[in-house]
Amino acid sequence: MEYGSGEVDPSVASMIEQYNLSELILEARLMCSQAQHGKALLFATHCAKEIERANGEHAAELVEPYTILGLAHAGFGRLQKAEKILSLANFIVVKNGDRSSASMKSALYRALGVLYFKKHQYTESLRLLADDVYQSSLAFGPLDVRTAGGYYHMADVFEASGQHATAHEFRCKVSDIWASILSTVLQNADAGKSTSLSLDVLETSDAQVHLTGLLSVYKNAEGAEHRALEGKLCSALATLYSTLNESALVKQYATLAVQLLQASNGQYLEDARLLLTRLEE
């Protein structure tokens, strides 16, 4: 595969020199999650070149950087370029068979689903995102935060194709996954329990994207169900920002959650009140 060339920002060049390939791929995924597509392209391009040089142009290890390259090009609106790269990644998956892991396939199918959504090919997008959810469920489980991204994008496709009720169902599923895991993280921390249950840097970034995206849909929506959902999202965001030591945002979202959930007396209301109490200590 041919790669573009050009000047590289000194800070990016320094990271490329200091990080190993696994670290650079993680950084590229993070940049994609945060819509920093230029940096994602640089990191993923370097990784692809190194893997191709060491293992050949059809190496299974190329699927991950190619997937990131496809997403980054799609983020810039270069859909034809994105489709070419992702099609090549898909060819490698088919060629290598079982050497491609379920998590690798999930990421590729998700990227293809996002691409076809941008191309307004909704049927194909939903098919690919369903394959993503299936592969991610095999790798991590259907209610894992790493599977939530598939549901999140499917909701957007359903919404765009006029299936509003189905889009709402999928958005509720995403909010339930994130709210549940974040509530558990908060309760364990409050009880002083030693646990491995936490979010890594990429999951934290995905949580911010998903939760703020959902909140933008339901903010100030009418009806008790929508107010409860908005409150749950605010409580989850407050907990998320507490893990990042963002006190102002914790207060903002926890206060909103208490206002929206005061009639529910549920766990997410208790979480918001706990966070506000912590801020006063």
Side-chain angles (χ1 to χ4, degrees), residues 101-231:
S101 67
S103 60
M104 187 182 293
K105 292 176 183 177
S106 167
L108 172 60
Y109 298 150
R110 187 171 302 177
L112 282 163
V114 169
L115 170 66
Y116 284 108
F117 171 66
K118 289 178 177 290
K119 296 181 70 174
H120 307 289
Q121 297 180 22
Y122 299 140
T123 300
E124 183 66 6
S125 177
L126 285 173
R127 182 187 70 80
L128 287 158
L129 290 169
D131 287 343
D132 154 34
V133 167
Y134 173 74
Q135 294 294 336
S136 185
S137 296
L138 288 178
F140 311 116
L143 299 181
D144 191 274
V145 294
R146 287 163 289 190
T147 306
Y151 302 130
Y152 181 83
H153 290 298
M154 289 181 81
D156 286 342
V157 181
F158 282 123
E159 186 70 41
S161 58
Q163 301 179 60
H164 306 301
T166 306
H168 175 66
E169 290 176 11
F170 275 77
R171 284 170 176 152
C172 287
K173 183 185 289 288
V174 176
S175 67
D176 285 344
I177 290 172
W178 284 114
S180 177
I181 186 70
L182 286 163
S183 179
T184 302
V185 167
L186 176 64
Q187 292 168 46
N188 286 343
D190 187 58
K193 294 181 180 179
S194 176
T195 175
S196 61
L197 185 60
S198 61
L199 301 182
D200 64 26
V201 63
L202 185 59
E203 291 164 355
T204 297
S205 179
D206 285 343
Q208 289 177 285
V209 171
H210 294 170
L211 291 170
T212 55
L214 292 173
L215 187 59
S216 70
V217 173
Y218 292 105
K219 189 174 182 179
N220 300 322
E222 296 182 358
E225 180 186 359
H226 286 165
R227 283 179 61 83
L229 179 55
E230 184 183 351

Side-chain angles (χ1 to χ4, degrees), residues 57-60 63 88-100:
E57 62 181 7
H58 294 145
V63 173
L88 179 56
N90 195 46
F91 170 79
I92 294 173
V93 165
V94 174
K95 180 179 176 64
N96 285 281
D98 293 339
R99 289 187 61 197
S100 300

Side-chain angles (χ1 to χ4, degrees), residues 222-266:
E222 296 182 358
E225 180 186 359
H226 286 165
R227 283 179 61 83
L229 179 55
E230 184 183 351
K232 181 193 297 185
L233 292 167
C234 287
S235 178
L237 277 165
T239 302
L240 177 66
Y241 285 117
S242 74
T243 67
L244 300 173
N245 297 316
E246 297 279 359
S247 299
L249 290 172
V250 173
K251 183 176 182 179
Q252 174 187 333
Y253 285 112
T255 300
L256 283 170
V258 170
Q259 293 171 354
L260 291 161
L261 297 172
Q262 56 186 339
S264 69
N265 293 319

